[in-house]
Amino acid sequence: MGWNLIRLYAVAVYIFMFAPVAVVLLLAFNSSQFGGFPIEGFSLQWFEKLYENEAIVRAFKTSFVLGIGTAILATTIGILASLALVRYRFPGKAWITTFLISPVLVPETVLAVGLLLFLRWLSMPRSFALLLIGHTIIALPFVVLVVQARLVGIRKDYEEAALSLGANPLQTFFQITLPLLMPAVFAGALFAFTISFDNITATIFWRPAGSETVPTQIFGMLRNSVSPEINALGFVMIVITVGVPLMAGGLARYFTRKKR
Amino acid sequence: MAQVELVGIRKAFGPVVAVEDANITFEEGSFTTLLGPSGCGKTTLLRMIAGLESPTTGDILVGGRRVNDIPIHKRNLGLVFQNYALFPHKTIGENIAFGLKYRGVPKEDARKKVTEALNIVRLPGVEERFPTQLSGGQQQRIALARAIVIEPDVLLLDEPLSALDANLREEMRVELKAIQNRIGVTSIFVTHDQSEALAMSDRIVVMSAGRVEQIGTPELVYNRPASEFVTTFLGNANILSGTVKALNDGIAELEVPALGSLYAMLEASERQQVKSGAPVKLSIKAEKLALEDQRTAEEHDTVLTAQVRDVDYQGQVARYFLQAGNQALQAINQIDERPHTVGADVSVRIRARDCVILPA
Ligand SMILES: Nc1ncnc2c1ncn2[C@@H]1O[C@H](COP(=O)(O)OP(=O)(O)OP(=O)(O)O)[C@@H](O)[C@H]1O
Ligand SMILES: [Mg+2]
């Protein structure tokens, strides 16, 4: 009896969580003119409309470039920071750790306004570069956490063995540490990409005038009306943010199996 | 191959002193063991020679050259770890060839050297496998092959056998010694296992709490221990307190309160240090106490009577806990048919040459 209740409760929670997503996914294929129920028929017309809408295509491009840029920057910085934090001892280490992780703790709005004020103080205009830097700051803690966790698990012996065999520290990093760290680097990069691709709060503050990412584009379109196009757009976003990590995970597993 | 010399080495980690005033010479081509209990600074000493730690003070010389400021990757040392530390993402072949790559050995020569190294460690034909596809003992052989293929000046081994199970450990230690003999590389081996140290070493460096207690051949550190620590760490020893009554011709007559008179034979080098009338400590290894006259008499023997309080039966031998007056003694003897029974009175014969006066 008790277990049945808990099971029922669990199902209810899942429905509550996933029903809205399911609604968007379903309505994306609705042929009706209005972005709502009832479903009148199956159609791909909203996807076509999406593809023809230049503003949306531009927003996608911006989001992709931004996401990939964020992934590259955040993983590069994240790896270096993790190496320093895990492998070396230096004064103020605890402070730097806290500082690197703090963007997670600070409300995004505060972070966004802060960076803008800083920019104003430097009297620089808002730009794509700012957006990229901002997203990197937001994604960095996640990359650092993932990479650090993995690095702690890689025994120093490997690196020391490589050094003793004559590889210099840089060669040791590229030959030993980085390959062993790769799963975490990969996961971190994906994290960074999806965080950037999804972000809206800070992006609204930081984006240069006239530039839109997919989420800000959707947000803008919503102010006018809930058009069925938005459902299609939502569908594509879900596919990307869920599909990319899944695909990457599958690929990673495939390659590790092939190697054995 | 080279001689390694440590001169006044001290290493402190903040307030913790890991190694204090180490002066050791590792002869060219010799196999030396650093032996001591956990935390005595063996690994730290080895890591300083490797270049993984730098000494707080003191000099490290390899082949007569001071290497303190030479980074590890330029020292040309072979390093073998307790946990093998084979690169998990590289094949066995790639693992062994790793060091050759940075020595500019051409690919074809490298392949030959890898094959040769695998033959030396008796694991031919595993080049294509990954480390996880080998057993622990095999992995350790590969680690050894990887370290010796670069023809290092010195081979450093930090408890390389302690992750293996008991049978394999004994097999590997014979083999490791044979390989070292064959290639003749100066080797420094860290262990806390006294039997490993006694079996393998040309010389043993006994350490305790960061200090070198004694350096010498296995026979020397076992039979002529230089301190109470050394004698209790290697084998089972009886420590007695007494006073020197008389000295003549290399024989010291001692007065031990509970036992009466006892004789100790002094080696030539020890004669200077023992003074008549001085209080001393005496070490007698448990297996040197012969029960019930199993041994022919010698001059200056001491024969006591003791009672068996407890017997630790070990198959071939038994370890007896004896009481002689108010002095507890341990004896380890071969078992002839049956061990002595608890409560029995036994005679105990002690030879003068088995009594070692420990330096004050
Ligand atoms: N990096 C370090 N930081 C601080 N203290 C250390 C460090 N490395 C070693 N020590 C300390 O130095 C002492 C000697 O350590 P070491 O590892 O050399 O011992 P060991 O003889 O190899 O012991 P074991 O048999 O357990 O391996 C210990 O007290 C240890 O706590
Ligand atoms: Mg150790």
Side-chain angles (χ1 to χ4, degrees):
Chain A
M1 181 60 204
W3 274 113
N4 277 338
L5 264 181
I6 287 174
R7 214 168 287 164
L8 204 72
Y9 178 73
V11 171
V13 168
Y14 277 119
I15 290 176
F16 186 75
M17 275 168 56
F18 289 113
V21 178
V23 167
V24 169
L25 292 179
L26 276 178
L27 290 180
F29 297 97
N30 190 0
S31 57
S32 153
Q33 282 299 316
F34 310 100
F37 286 102
I39 288 180
E40 289 174 357
F42 179 84
S43 143
L44 291 176
Q45 57 169 313
W46 306 119
F47 290 93
E48 261 168 61
K49 277 254 168 68
L50 213 57
Y51 189 69
E52 285 159 11
N53 187 333
E54 248 173 64
I56 289 176
V57 173
R58 212 178 315 121
F60 259 108
K61 274 187 191 151
T62 310
S63 271
F64 266 112
V65 173
L66 190 60
I68 290 168
T70 302
I72 292 172
L73 267 182
T75 26
T76 310
I77 298 171
I79 291 170
L80 295 177
S82 306
L83 273 177
L85 291 175
V86 175
R87 287 293 192 253
Y88 298 92
R89 261 184 294 174
F90 51 90
K93 188 161 138 175
W95 285 103
I96 290 180
T97 310
T98 315
F99 178 74
L100 277 177
I101 304 302
S102 61
V104 182
L105 310 171
V106 178
E108 226 174 285
T109 319
V110 176
L111 191 69
V113 172
L115 192 59
L116 274 186
L117 287 177
F118 184 61
L119 217 64
R120 171 101 23 104
W121 181 64
L122 291 177
S123 52
M124 275 165 68
R126 285 187 292 179
S127 65
F128 183 78
L130 167 75
L131 201 52
L132 184 59
I133 293 169
H135 277 200
T136 304
I137 292 172
I138 293 173
L140 193 57
F142 296 92
V143 177
V144 169
L145 287 174
V146 173
V147 173
Q148 231 179 351
R150 170 93 186 172
L151 196 56
V152 167
I154 298 175
R155 288 200 321 266
K156 252 175 133 175
D157 296 7
Y158 296 126
E159 292 156 13
E160 293 177 349
L163 289 168
S164 79
L165 291 166
N168 68 32
L170 202 67
Q171 290 162 333
T172 300
F173 173 74
F174 282 109
Q175 282 286 317
I176 308 300
T177 318
L178 192 60
L180 292 178
L181 212 51
M182 219 51 214
V185 171
F186 207 55
L190 278 176
F191 250 141
F193 177 83
T194 31
I195 286 168
S196 159
F197 199 81
D198 268 352
N199 186 278
I200 178 153
T201 314
T203 310
I204 288 178
F205 286 88
W206 289 336
R207 76 198 150 104
S211 183
E212 302 279 359
T213 65
V214 177
T216 61
Q217 177 72 24
I218 295 178
F219 186 66
M221 284 161 73
L222 271 178
R223 257 181 296 196
N224 304 331
S225 67
V226 183
S227 93
E229 237 178 318
I230 289 177
N231 290 328
L233 198 51
F235 182 92
V236 175
M237 271 207 79
I238 290 168
V239 167
I240 290 171
T241 50
V242 174
V244 167
L246 279 184
M247 214 168 62
L251 271 178
R253 235 167 298 137
Y254 173 75
F255 280 120
T256 39
R257 211 174 308 138
K258 220 177 94 178
K259 241 182 136 177
R260 283 298 123 91
Chain B
M1 252 151 290
Q3 170 185 287
V4 178
E5 230 177 311
L6 305 183
V7 185
I9 293 291
R10 177 191 146 92
K11 176 70 182 179
F13 294 103
V16 181
V17 178
V19 175
E20 183 81 273
D21 193 31
N23 293 285
I24 311 171
T25 303
F26 302 89
E27 296 299 338
E28 190 168 330
S30 70
F31 191 107
T32 308
T33 299
L34 304 179
L35 174 68
S38 186
C40 72
K42 310 178 294 286
T43 298
T44 305
L45 201 56
L46 199 76
R47 289 173 65 83
M48 286 192 280
I49 299 170
L52 291 166
E53 304 278 2
S54 45
T56 310
T57 55
D59 293 332
I60 300 168
L61 290 88
V62 176
R65 195 167 61 122
R66 186 175 180 273
V67 297
N68 286 45
D69 305 318
I70 298 179
I72 173 172
H73 61 280
K74 293 188 182 148
R75 285 197 192 183
N76 195 35
L77 305 168
L79 211 51
V80 179
F81 297 84
Q82 179 175 355
N83 300 308
Y84 329 131
L86 296 179
F87 309 132
H89 58 297
K90 291 183 182 291
T91 63
I92 301 304
E94 289 165 349
N95 262 281
I96 300 177
F98 190 85
L100 298 174
K101 198 161 60 180
Y102 299 105
R103 284 170 175 71
V105 178
K107 273 238 168 75
E108 199 46 47
D109 293 358
R111 197 166 316 137
K112 267 187 220 137
K113 279 179 189 270
V114 168
T115 313
E116 205 177 298
L118 282 173
N119 283 333
I120 290 178
V121 298
R122 298 203 293 131
L123 264 181
V126 297
E127 284 96 333
E128 297 305 316
R129 292 205 219 163
F130 280 92
T132 48
Q133 294 170 316
L134 298 180
S135 73
Q138 290 172 328
Q139 288 186 45
Q140 196 54 290
R141 282 161 205 254
I142 300 302
L144 183 63
R146 183 178 69 179
I148 61 177
V149 79
I150 60 171
E151 293 167 24
D153 293 331
V154 185
L155 185 61
L156 304 172
L157 309 108
D158 193 355
E159 310 209 20
L161 307 181
S162 60
L164 309 176
D165 65 52
N167 285 334
L168 193 59
R169 187 153 62 213
E170 296 207 356
E171 198 180 302
M172 277 292 288
R173 99 181 172 204
V174 174
E175 206 168 311
L176 178 61
K177 188 67 222 280
I179 291 170
Q180 192 269 338
N181 258 333
R182 201 172 131 193
I183 62 176
V185 60
T186 311
S187 303
I188 305 175
F189 181 92
V190 163
T191 184
H192 58 253
D193 182 334
Q194 47 151 318
S195 55
E196 237 168 60
L198 291 169
M200 300 175 77
S201 319
D202 297 323
R203 292 211 311 160
I204 297 178
V205 176
V206 186
M207 295 180 65
S208 159
R211 291 186 171 277
V212 173
E213 291 273 331
Q214 189 175 8
I215 304 177
T217 60
E219 296 81 36
L220 185 82
V221 293
Y222 190 85
N223 292 321
R224 308 303 297 180
S227 70
E228 188 171 343
F229 174 84
V230 174
T231 193
T232 46
F233 192 72
L234 287 141
N236 297 93
N238 294 289
I239 306 286
L240 305 172
S241 302
T243 323
V244 181
K245 269 204 308 202
L247 272 169
N248 62 69
D249 217 10
I251 301 284
E253 189 186 348
L254 306 159
E255 178 67 31
V256 178
L259 306 177
S261 259
L262 212 63
Y263 297 91
M265 198 181 286
L266 301 176
E267 305 252 306
S269 58
E270 297 165 356
R271 290 182 193 177
Q272 303 298 320
Q273 296 158 17
V274 181
K275 300 271 179 299
S276 191
V280 289
K281 285 212 162 161
L282 200 63
S283 154
I284 312 167
K285 288 275 150 78
E287 69 279 6
K288 304 293 188 186
L289 268 58
L291 304 190
E292 290 301 345
D293 273 332
Q294 290 177 356
R295 202 150 60 192
T296 46
E298 280 183 21
E299 206 186 347
H300 300 301
D301 272 2
T302 307
V303 179
L304 318 161
T305 314
Q307 193 177 43
V308 178
R309 273 211 334 228
D310 212 341
V311 183
D312 185 8
Y313 178 74
Q314 296 172 357
Q316 294 178 329
V317 298
R319 182 169 170 206
Y320 298 99
F321 296 88
L322 309 169
Q323 192 72 32
N326 60 9
Q327 177 70 53
L329 293 171
Q330 290 181 48
I332 295 177
N333 274 207
Q334 291 280 340
I335 297 170
D336 185 26
E337 291 182 43
R338 265 178 294 119
H340 300 289
T341 50
V342 173
D345 283 319
V346 289
S347 76
V348 180
R349 181 179 290 276
I350 302 170
R351 288 189 302 213
R353 58 185 156 114
D354 294 329
C355 296
V356 181
I357 294 177
L358 300 172

